[in-house]
Amino acid sequence: MKRNISLRLFSLIFGIFSMGANAVTIIIPMRLLDQGLSYEKIGLAMSMLALGMLVIKPIIGRHVDRIGAKRYVIAALAVGSVDLYMMSVNSSPVIYILLNCIFGLCRGMFTSITSFYTVTVSDKTNLGNSFGDLIGISTLFTCLGGVIAGILYPFYDGTFALALIATIYFASVFVTLRWMPDTKAGDAMERGKQSFYYLLKEMKPQVYVFGLIVFLQQFTTGPLWNTFIPLHFYAVFAVSSTFVGILMSLDELIGSPTSFLAGKIADKISDRKFLSLSYFFAGIFGLILIFVRTPFSFMCLFLTCGIFVTCTQIVIPKSASGFMRSCNRGFEFAVISSCGGLGEWLGSILLGDLMKEFSVNYIVLVFFISYMILSTISFFTLSKN
């Protein structure tokens, strides 16, 4: 019971942080587009989120095994609060690059310990259900970020929205300090002497396979979900900022019950089968997006595609944890997550160039091809566990 309460409280705090991340990926691209910046420059600015995550994750992952997770959650919320306040009053594209990088550091600090904390406080025979609860509960709050961003964007280009979420972050610092249990793993002194090279060398090959999978997934999924799909609705379909915010919230809202259900399914069927099928159907529905021309049809297919993407987010950490050493689980989860950050950073830059020259359909085609590759890799390289 105590473990369930710890996980639910952590899921709530994670959802609050993700609420801010959701708002940033809606408000900042629309602000930059309204200022007349190209998709290429917008992609570059938003790629700084992934760059910040990429830089910090291996460092936090190494130390979380030794000193626990709580202090990093507090630091991410506190620094993120200040950063969001600064974003709310800024209008310079150059400053956005710096602020996005700082927010990416905070996001990387938080997300690098998410899977580690979940595995540590969960029953090992029920991991799928635990990850389903984590994402299911957190996405209920994450979707509020899109609603707040969409409704309040017309008021000084989202200034009030960012300031409001920054205040919620600040209040969450005290909630975390008071009620969130900390977690540690193993002998800190022994691991403190291990170099990055040693830690990487001792990782099982399957962990590197998951790193490759997450890299390929985030190369297209991150830029599409965080930047180009919202901008496609805002610029091409010419819908309001409120509609964009509600759309991205619907994706999160639908993802919540999907996560609870996927978590239960993940504990009952083969990880290999579940993951490969999720990638396959996500890619197919993504491909169909190319052929639709109305906002409603595009929205329905996008949300359906998101259901299968959500399923992959349940299976990957649950399956990967089985190949990790318990004494260095935080570091190994952080390595996998860093691969995703690298993929999202490169994807934001390279796909931004592609969007500038062509359209979102070409990025969706890359998404389809990458997900077919991911489906194949998952089926032929993962064990039948």
Side-chain angles (χ1 to χ4, degrees):
M1 179 64 70
K2 187 175 180 181
R3 284 174 173 259
N4 289 338
I5 294 174
S6 298
L7 180 59
R8 287 167 185 168
L9 177 59
F10 179 74
S11 300
L12 167 64
I13 298 169
F14 180 51
I16 289 172
F17 187 88
S18 299
M19 176 173 62
N22 194 18
V24 166
T25 56
I26 293 172
I27 291 173
I28 303 306
M30 290 196 298
R31 275 188 177 183
L32 296 176
L33 189 66
D34 288 342
Q35 291 180 24
L37 271 70
S38 66
Y39 286 112
E40 177 186 18
K41 293 180 179 177
I42 294 173
L44 176 62
M46 299 309 294
S47 74
M48 294 299 105
L49 290 169
L51 179 61
M53 294 169 64
L54 175 63
V55 169
I56 200 70
K57 282 184 175 183
I59 300 172
I60 300 301
R62 183 186 183 193
H63 288 88
V64 74
D65 286 311
R66 297 161 48 202
I67 61 177
K70 185 172 182 175
R71 67 187 65 192
Y72 294 119
V73 174
I74 293 170
L77 289 168
V79 177
S81 175
V82 175
D83 192 68
L84 287 176
Y85 273 122
M86 295 178 68
M87 280 189 188
S88 69
V89 297
N90 177 61
S91 60
S92 168
V94 176
I95 300 299
Y96 278 130
I97 291 176
L98 175 61
L99 294 177
N100 278 348
C101 190
I102 294 173
F103 192 79
L105 290 172
C106 297
R107 191 177 179 186
M109 199 180 302
F110 206 121
T111 57
S112 64
I113 59 95
T114 301
S115 296
F116 164 77
Y117 192 92
T118 303
V119 171
T120 302
V121 303
S122 299
D123 182 354
K124 303 303 182 289
T125 62
N126 203 27
L127 278 180
N129 197 43
S130 295
F131 279 106
D133 288 347
L134 168 74
I135 298 178
I137 293 172
S138 63
T139 50
L140 288 174
F141 292 88
T142 305
C143 71
L144 293 177
V147 173
I148 293 171
I151 293 176
L152 296 184
Y153 184 79
F155 301 95
Y156 300 99
D157 295 337
T159 296
F160 292 155
L162 293 173
L164 173 62
I165 296 173
T167 305
I168 297 173
Y169 271 30
F170 186 71
S172 299
V173 171
F174 298 98
V175 174
T176 305
L177 274 169
R178 176 64 180 85
W179 286 293
M180 180 182 144
D182 204 353
T183 180
K184 296 183 180 180
D187 183 0
M189 293 300 295
E190 180 182 349
R191 282 193 308 281
K193 300 175 182 178
Q194 296 175 351
S195 66
F196 276 104
Y197 173 76
Y198 175 82
L199 293 171
L200 291 170
K201 181 181 177 182
E202 292 299 306
M203 281 170 42
K204 293 181 179 180
Q206 292 91 337
V207 178
Y208 287 103
V209 172
F210 280 106
L212 174 62
I213 287 172
V214 172
F215 172 85
L216 289 174
Q217 178 169 351
Q218 286 302 108
F219 181 82
T220 53
T221 308
L224 268 176
W225 260 249
N226 294 338
T227 306
F228 299 124
I229 291 294
L231 287 183
H232 184 70
F233 276 94
Y234 188 61
V236 177
F237 289 137
V239 301
S240 67
S241 60
T242 302
F243 180 91
V244 174
I246 292 174
L247 168 69
M248 302 313 293
S249 296
L250 276 175
D251 179 53
E252 299 289 349
L253 190 60
I254 293 172
S256 180
T258 300
S259 299
F260 289 122
L261 178 60
K264 295 183 182 302
I265 295 173
D267 284 325
K268 298 182 183 301
I269 70 171
S270 161
D271 292 343
R272 182 180 73 160
K273 182 185 297 184
F274 195 12
L275 189 58
S276 61
L277 287 175
S278 296
Y279 280 130
F280 177 80
F281 285 112
I284 292 298
F285 281 104
L287 180 64
I288 300 173
L289 283 173
I290 296 175
F291 304 101
V292 300
R293 295 293 179 267
T294 65
F296 180 77
S297 299
F298 197 98
M299 178 186 71
C300 292
L301 285 168
F302 167 68
L303 294 175
T304 304
C305 182
I307 290 174
F308 294 102
V309 173
T310 299
C311 291
T312 69
Q313 295 169 352
I314 304 295
V315 185
I316 288 175
K318 183 252 180 181
S319 182
S321 66
F323 300 105
M324 295 177 177
R325 296 162 297 158
S326 59
C327 62
N328 287 313
R329 188 178 284 130
F331 176 77
E332 295 183 14
F333 269 126
V335 169
I336 293 175
S337 188
S338 296
C339 292
L342 177 61
E344 185 173 342
W345 176 58
L346 291 174
S348 296
I349 296 173
L350 298 177
L351 297 181
D353 292 338
L354 191 64
M355 183 105 171
K356 175 186 175 183
E357 296 296 330
F358 302 100
S359 70
V360 74
N361 288 342
Y362 286 86
I363 301 179
V364 171
L365 182 59
V366 175
F367 172 86
F368 165 73
I369 294 172
S370 65
Y371 268 55
M372 291 301 104
I373 294 173
L374 287 167
S375 180
T376 304
I377 292 175
S378 301
F379 186 82
F380 287 105
T381 62
L382 299 186
S383 60
K384 299 179 181 180
N385 56 328

